[in-house]
Amino acid sequence: MPQRLRQDLDQALALRDDTDRRAAVDRVVQGIAKGAYGATFQRQSESAVMRGRSSS
Protein backbone atom coordinates (compact mmCIF):
# COMPACT_ATOMS: atom_id res chain seq x y z
CA MET A 1 0.00 0.00 0.00
CA PRO A 2 1.42 3.40 -0.92
CA GLN A 3 2.51 5.43 2.11
CA ARG A 4 0.43 8.45 1.11
CA LEU A 5 -2.67 6.27 0.82
CA ARG A 6 -2.01 4.79 4.26
CA GLN A 7 -1.62 8.28 5.77
CA ASP A 8 -4.77 9.61 4.10
CA LEU A 9 -6.78 6.58 5.16
CA ASP A 10 -5.49 6.72 8.74
CA GLN A 11 -6.41 10.41 8.95
CA ALA A 12 -9.86 9.73 7.51
CA LEU A 13 -10.56 6.88 9.92
CA ALA A 14 -9.36 8.92 12.91
CA LEU A 15 -12.11 11.50 12.47
CA ARG A 16 -14.66 11.33 15.27
CA ASP A 17 -17.70 12.61 13.40
CA ASP A 18 -19.31 9.82 11.38
CA THR A 19 -20.33 12.11 8.51
CA ASP A 20 -16.86 13.63 8.26
CA ARG A 21 -15.23 10.19 8.45
CA ARG A 22 -17.44 8.78 5.69
CA ALA A 23 -16.78 11.79 3.46
CA ALA A 24 -13.02 11.54 4.02
CA VAL A 25 -12.97 7.80 3.28
CA ASP A 26 -15.03 8.46 0.16
CA ARG A 27 -12.42 10.99 -0.99
CA VAL A 28 -9.70 8.37 -0.48
CA VAL A 29 -11.68 5.82 -2.51
CA GLN A 30 -12.21 8.38 -5.27
CA GLY A 31 -8.48 9.12 -5.20
CA ILE A 32 -7.75 5.43 -5.72
CA ALA A 33 -10.16 5.31 -8.67
CA LYS A 34 -8.57 8.42 -10.22
CA GLY A 35 -5.03 7.12 -9.80
CA ALA A 36 -3.99 9.65 -7.16
CA TYR A 37 -1.97 6.97 -5.35
CA GLY A 38 -0.23 5.70 -8.46
CA ALA A 39 -1.28 3.97 -11.66
CA THR A 40 -0.01 0.58 -10.51
CA PHE A 41 -2.08 0.68 -7.33
CA GLN A 42 -5.10 1.86 -9.33
CA ARG A 43 -4.79 -1.12 -11.72
CA GLN A 44 -4.36 -3.54 -8.82
CA SER A 45 -7.47 -2.21 -7.08
CA GLU A 46 -9.49 -2.38 -10.31
CA SER A 47 -8.39 -5.99 -10.78
CA ALA A 48 -9.44 -6.82 -7.23
CA VAL A 49 -12.87 -5.29 -7.83
CA MET A 50 -13.33 -7.31 -10.99
CA ARG A 51 -12.30 -10.53 -9.21
CA GLY A 52 -14.78 -9.76 -6.46
CA ARG A 53 -17.58 -9.23 -8.94
CA SER A 54 -16.90 -12.47 -10.79
CA SER A 55 -17.00 -14.53 -7.58
CA SER A 56 -20.42 -13.31 -6.50
Side-chain angles (χ1 to χ4, degrees), residues 29-49:
V29 171
Q30 289 176 13
I32 293 169
K34 292 178 181 176
Y37 300 103
T40 301
F41 188 78
Q42 178 186 17
R43 285 191 299 274
Q44 289 172 347
S45 63
E46 289 171 348
S47 295
V49 168

Side-chain angles (χ1 to χ4, degrees), residues 2-55:
Q3 183 177 1
R4 186 169 144 231
L5 170 59
R6 174 50 107 183
Q7 290 171 343
D8 290 351
L9 191 55
D10 284 346
Q11 288 175 355
L13 294 174
L15 295 172
R16 291 195 177 270
D17 182 73
D18 189 51
T19 303
D20 291 342
R21 185 174 50 252
R22 288 175 185 259
V25 169
D26 189 51
R27 286 191 297 274
V28 171
V29 171
Q30 289 176 13
I32 293 169
K34 292 178 181 176
Y37 300 103
T40 301
F41 188 78
Q42 178 186 17
R43 285 191 299 274
Q44 289 172 347
S45 63
E46 289 171 348
S47 295
V49 168
M50 295 308 287
R51 282 193 307 272
R53 288 183 181 164
S54 65
S55 66

